[in-house]
Amino acid sequence: MQSLNLTLKPEAKSTLPVRALQFGEGNFLRGFLDWMIFKANQKGLFNGRVLALQCTPRGKVVPKLQAQDGLYTTILHGFKDGQEIEDIEVVNTIAAALNPYENWEQVLASGTSPELKFVFSNTTEAGITFVHEQAFNTDICPESFPGKLTAILYERYKAFAAQGKTAGTGLWIVPCELLDDNGNKLKDIVLQQIADQNLGDDFKAYVLDECRFINTLVDRVVSGYPRDNAAAYQEKLGYNDELMVCGECFHFLALEGDADVEEALPFAKAGLNVVTAPDITPYRLRKVRILNGTHTANVPAAFIYGLETVDQMMSDAITGKFARSVIFDEIIPAVNLDKQMLISFANDVVDRFSDPSMHHQLSSILMNCTSKVKARILPTILDARAKGVLPKKLCFALAAYIALYRHAAGVPVQVQREGGKSGEFVDDAYAVEVLTKAWSTYQKTEASALFTVKAVLSDTKLWGSDISSDVDLVSLVARLLHAICSDGIAATMQDLLEHN
């Protein structure tokens, strides 16, 4: 791999101290939060960098970050005053990157730095989950993100307690996972880890009194590495960057808190689209249900259909019309917020998804698909059901999601797509096991599809409750699942559009 040619950007390197640990080194954090920190640093406001940590044993980004001195290029696209704009910058927010599964002692030591103030994360919705860990030690990296975080906080507490000065040494934890009350949920799991590991009341008091968990909402489409036109960008940039990341110029971050949060994280002061409010629920609900919900509801079908990117999905005569109908005919009526605010946001979302410069890969959106369905689709369906409505297109979305796993045999999930195409994505191993087993009952009849759907939607570990108790819902999803298998994705979608 050719390293980033720093002679083209001699000012790119930074000597700012590491003020944050970052769980996640993927496209989104690099194209969103790290970019925001970079912009704040340019204004002399945040004055720090991050240590990026690999989240899973399968990660491949850390070696590339190490080879490029933590540097990478952001390529942002958008429209302003009817004109297409492109903003290209070399971001120097990442001071170093580590694989905790190979360098756990070094990671623990970094957590005791007096200059450290924050922990940022984006481990997907599946990452904020309690896992019973082995007894904490310096040799074995815990499996889960909350387990790793708890172990790091514990080492930090012990280090400062030994000096007799724990006051004021707690960390601010800022999760970017798309979960309601993500900070509160992460805090609860950390406390659960403390109890499970018998780490003591003094440490628990330290976490409660000195550490702060902030609820957030993040919004930017980050499409990632521009596979289709990478060579053109390399020529345009004048150097080889294995980690260049494309995204949209639009960005939004909501932080739940008051003036001290706004002061500690001075992104708004740097001119970024960031709000701090005592309650960010309306912002979160609007975004998760409409933007993320539209992704999760439509991408499985578009992927099976053989499309590759979100803009292709929006421009296709069938999938594009279907996606718009899902938003305006089913999601917005179900969400209990001001309708005009929702419609305005939805119009922006359609424009953002339709931007042909983004090339947002459907396969990347499918990662951890099950947890996304739980967080982004089921709540809207349940809200609609509470109003006496059976949302047919969202039921189709459930059917298309289940159809993804028809030929699964482990992780990554192998997908047989229409047009002779194939593909794959990664999901939680337990979810794959449940869905694979459910498909064993399908005998190419609608009656057998009912058993498949029941087996999936009745699993309380996946969904938190038994969704299969809704007989009408299960019956419709089963009928649509069988139609997908018998008639194909496009024909089933077209039928719903014509006979809704």
Side-chain angles (χ1 to χ4, degrees), residues 247-284:
E248 61 178 348
C249 291
F250 177 90
H251 65 281
F252 177 72
L253 171 65
L255 301 166
E256 194 161 273
D258 43 31
D260 58 341
V261 173
E262 194 168 9
E263 181 179 353
L265 295 165
F267 298 130
K269 191 175 180 181
L272 299 171
N273 188 20
V274 178
V275 298
T276 301
D279 181 10
I280 63 171
T281 302
Y283 299 107
R284 179 175 60 235

Side-chain angles (χ1 to χ4, degrees), residues 58 363 366-370 405 411-413 424-429 432:
R58 299 183 300 272
S363 57
L366 288 175
M367 179 174 288
N368 293 313
C369 193
T370 300
Y405 302 78
V411 180
V413 178
E424 66 178 35
F425 67 97
V426 175
D427 199 0
D428 174 74
V432 176

Side-chain angles (χ1 to χ4, degrees), residues 80-302:
K80 185 175 182 180
D81 300 327
Q83 300 294 317
E84 185 175 356
I85 57 175
E86 182 178 72
D87 184 23
I88 298 177
E89 293 181 286
V90 174
V91 174
N92 59 13
T93 300
I94 297 177
L98 290 176
N99 179 350
Y101 300 92
E102 298 175 355
N103 306 101
W104 184 232
E105 285 191 60
Q106 189 175 349
V107 171
L108 288 175
S110 69
T112 65
S113 167
E115 294 180 309
L116 199 67
K117 178 67 177 177
F118 303 98
V119 174
F120 302 120
S121 68
N122 184 38
T123 59
T124 78
E125 291 90 330
I128 300 185
T129 307
F130 177 78
V131 174
H132 174 70
E133 306 278 4
Q134 299 182 48
F136 288 167
N137 61 67
T138 58
D139 297 325
I140 300 176
C141 175
E143 175 186 347
S144 66
F145 160 49
K148 296 181 186 74
L149 175 60
T150 306
I152 290 170
L153 292 175
Y154 187 50
E155 288 299 312
R156 184 175 182 84
Y157 161 74
K158 290 190 296 181
F160 286 105
Q163 302 172 32
K165 52 177 184 180
T166 58
T169 65
L171 299 180
W172 289 35
I173 294 90
V174 186
C176 295
E177 290 81 357
L178 286 168
L179 286 172
D180 292 354
D181 300 320
N182 50 13
N184 292 338
K185 288 181 178 177
L186 180 56
K187 179 179 180 180
D188 289 342
I189 297 173
V190 168
L191 295 175
Q192 191 177 357
Q193 285 285 354
I194 292 172
D196 193 55
Q197 293 281 334
N198 296 311
L199 300 181
D201 291 339
D202 289 343
F203 174 54
K204 179 180 178 181
Y206 174 79
V207 170
L208 290 172
D209 298 338
E210 299 295 332
C211 298
R212 186 159 181 175
F213 293 75
I214 300 173
N215 294 324
T216 70
L217 170 72
V218 300
D219 188 1
R220 168 176 267 174
V221 173
V222 178
S223 55
Y225 188 82
R227 290 185 238 172
D228 294 339
N229 51 1
Y233 274 121
Q234 303 286 20
E235 183 176 355
K236 181 176 183 176
L237 296 173
Y239 53 82
N240 180 41
D241 183 353
E242 296 292 332
L243 293 172
M244 57 182 167
V245 56
C246 291
E248 61 178 348
C249 291
F250 177 90
H251 65 281
F252 177 72
L253 171 65
L255 301 166
E256 194 161 273
D258 43 31
D260 58 341
V261 173
E262 194 168 9
E263 181 179 353
L265 295 165
F267 298 130
K269 191 175 180 181
L272 299 171
N273 188 20
V274 178
V275 298
T276 301
D279 181 10
I280 63 171
T281 302
Y283 299 107
R284 179 175 60 235
L285 186 62
R286 179 185 70 174
K287 192 259 182 177
V288 171
R289 297 290 187 89
I290 294 179
L291 188 145
N292 302 108
T294 300
H295 267 163
T296 305
N298 290 280
V299 164

